[in-house]
Amino acid sequence: MSHECQCNNDDTVEETLDVLEIPHTVRHAAILGALAALPVNGSLLLKAPHMPNPLLSEVKDLEGEFNHEVVKDGPEHWLVRLRRAA
């Protein structure tokens, strides 16, 4: 997991997860595990080479409530903030 200084509105540091640093065979499982470990109101910034729609569909199956916000919409990479709402 790389770290880039991104700050939430409450001035806590937000981790950036660059998906290209995760082996393809375990990528979705690793990201879903990181999301499941987030506390309520916790977030992470996902850096991906494309809009992660397949992953976002899988997030719906996690326990808890998650939402996402596209921070950067390509074309070199996408940044998507994923937040655990409940």
Side-chain angles (χ1 to χ4, degrees), residues 8 10 12 14 38-44 65 82-86:
N8 292 319
D10 62 0
T12 58
E14 179 177 62
L38 285 175
V40 173
N41 296 320
S43 66
L44 65 81
E65 185 180 327
L82 295 148
R83 183 178 306 278
R84 183 178 204 135

Side-chain angles (χ1 to χ4, degrees), residues 3-8 10-16 42-44:
H3 175 83
E4 294 178 23
C5 187
Q6 303 290 330
C7 293
N8 292 319
D10 62 0
D11 293 330
T12 58
V13 174
E14 179 177 62
E15 295 292 329
T16 298
S43 66
L44 65 81

Side-chain angles (χ1 to χ4, degrees), residues 44-59:
L44 65 81
L45 199 57
L46 188 69
K47 181 179 179 183
H50 59 82
M51 182 61 190
N53 289 321
L55 177 76
L56 294 174
S57 293
E58 292 179 45
V59 169

Side-chain angles (χ1 to χ4, degrees), residues 21-33:
E21 294 180 3
I22 304 170
H24 191 268
T25 56
V26 297
R27 190 170 290 166
H28 279 209
I31 296 166
L32 293 171

Side-chain angles (χ1 to χ4, degrees), residues 58-86:
E58 292 179 45
V59 169
K60 295 175 185 173
D61 295 333
L62 289 177
E63 186 176 320
E65 185 180 327
F66 294 85
N67 54 52
H68 73 276
E69 167 193 7
V70 177
V71 176
K72 182 175 183 340
D73 195 12
E76 298 87 29
H77 65 272
W78 278 250
L79 290 175
V80 179
R81 177 172 290 115
L82 295 148
R83 183 178 306 278
R84 183 178 204 135

